Amino acid sequence: MSNTHWDPVKYGLFGDERRRPAIDLIARLPKPAQGFSPENIVDLGCGPGTVTSLLADAFGLDGNMPTITGVDHSAEMLEKARKHDDRITWQQHDIATWEPEKPVDLLFTNAALQWVPGHANLLPRLCGFVKPGGLIAIQVPNNFLAPSHQLINEAGEKWEKEVAAAQDQIKIMRPGDYFDVLIPHCSNVDLWQTQYCHVLKGEDPVFNWVSSTALRPVLANLPDDDAREAFCAHYKTRLSQVYPPRPDGLTLFPFNRLFIVASKAG
């Protein structure tokens, strides 16, 4: 996972839009009323903890609060998470090497695994931590072919090696590849994709969105402040051409995401 620092404030600028896929993923999961009452839940890549709290709200009903652990690599994110919800145990760890203390009923990860390399090996490893009959629920962005991401290469053509190395930190597989990797370990694998059309406000909103996520390692990899300034100026100009503001000042930003809910084989 990237060692560049996360900025919880910048990441939270689009909190409602970033929470929406997590809310949709949680809505797809069976609930206690339907017979699924997990005792041990882990949120991998929990960030500032807002989504982990939604898991606590969804499954901590009738006074029966499961053990919920939020795991993240970023000390900055966890500092905010600890102030956000004391129902949850917060743990700093890298997803690539994390192991639970006991088997997990629900392993949940929202917009985090794209930062962890080697999904073909990672997902069977994570499945091994889930109890038979338990669930693994995943959401990852699948917007890497969109102009917002492709224009990073254009803006960084003077620093091709640095930009390529930074972008290599963010990887996902094709949907069918996830099915192939998970199905030997799972009794059922449900995959779907959704395109959200985010309605953004303010100046350079798409730049501000990307700068708090995919652009972080790119900017960190550029050689100096002059390079970063030149890169950002070109990138903002091209983004405003591809994602122009409407006459009312709003900007529409289509964004694709991939979802997976898999049941661990008994």
Side-chain angles (χ1 to χ4, degrees):
M1 185 177 290
S2 171
N3 291 322
T4 54
H5 291 292
W6 284 88
D7 184 341
V9 175
K10 184 179 289 187
Y11 185 81
L13 289 176
F14 304 101
D16 290 343
E17 291 84 0
R18 295 193 191 282
R19 276 190 297 273
R20 171 71 184 280
I23 291 170
D24 291 347
L25 182 57
I26 293 171
R28 194 69 167 256
L29 301 175
K31 302 301 186 301
Q34 296 152 334
F36 181 62
S37 298
E39 298 178 356
N40 186 16
I41 298 173
V42 174
D43 181 9
L44 282 182
C46 63
T50 52
V51 170
T52 324
S53 293
L54 295 176
L55 286 168
D57 293 340
F59 291 99
L61 303 176
D62 300 324
N64 297 318
M65 178 61 66
T67 299
I68 304 178
T69 305
V71 180
D72 205 274
H73 189 256
S74 167
E76 295 89 348
M77 288 291 196
L78 287 173
E79 181 181 1
K80 186 169 184 179
R82 290 189 178 99
K83 297 175 181 177
H84 177 72
D85 198 325
D86 60 6
R87 298 175 296 175
I88 296 157
T89 300
W90 305 106
Q91 184 183 106
Q92 185 174 8
H93 215 295
D94 193 322
I95 294 174
T97 56
W98 168 83
E99 294 185 11
E101 296 180 357
K102 57 183 179 180
V104 178
D105 296 293
L106 171 59
L107 188 59
F108 185 96
T109 177
N110 177 71
L113 292 191
Q114 71 274 14
W115 295 101
V116 186
H119 286 190
N121 295 319
L122 174 68
L123 291 185
R125 180 175 178 274
L126 294 180
C127 281
F129 301 143
V130 179
K131 294 179 184 177
L135 296 178
I136 181 167
I138 299 168
Q139 184 273 121
V140 287
N142 192 18
N143 215 46
F144 303 108
L145 297 180
S148 57
H149 288 70
Q150 292 298 303
L151 288 174
I152 293 174
N153 296 320
E154 177 186 312
E157 60 183 356
K158 293 182 180 178
W159 308 278
E160 184 177 353
K161 291 182 180 179
E162 292 87 347
V163 171
Q167 289 196 304
D168 197 49
Q169 296 182 36
I170 310 174
K171 293 283 188 180
I172 70 166
M173 301 189 298
R174 296 175 299 179
D177 294 333
Y178 284 104
F179 186 89
D180 291 340
V181 166
L182 287 168
I183 198 63
H185 311 276
C186 299
S187 58
N188 181 68
V189 179
D190 184 16
L191 300 96
W192 71 98
Q193 296 189 79
T194 298
Q195 182 179 85
Y196 297 88
C197 190
H198 297 304
V199 180
L200 307 184
K201 301 177 181 179
E203 186 176 356
D204 298 316
V206 177
F207 174 84
N208 291 335
W209 178 291
V210 181
S211 66
S212 64
T213 53
L215 207 58
R216 291 171 45 258
V218 174
L219 295 178
N221 244 26
L222 294 179
D224 52 42
D225 288 341
D226 289 341
R228 282 184 277 273
E229 184 177 347
F231 172 92
C232 289
H234 182 94
Y235 185 51
K236 286 180 180 179
T237 298
R238 292 292 286 120
L239 285 175
S240 67
Q241 293 168 348
V242 177
Y243 303 99
R246 293 160 40 92
D248 57 8
L250 301 175
T251 300
L252 301 183
F253 182 35
F255 200 101
N256 298 300
R257 295 185 181 273
L258 172 66
F259 297 81
I260 306 169
V261 175
S263 304
K264 175 71 176 292

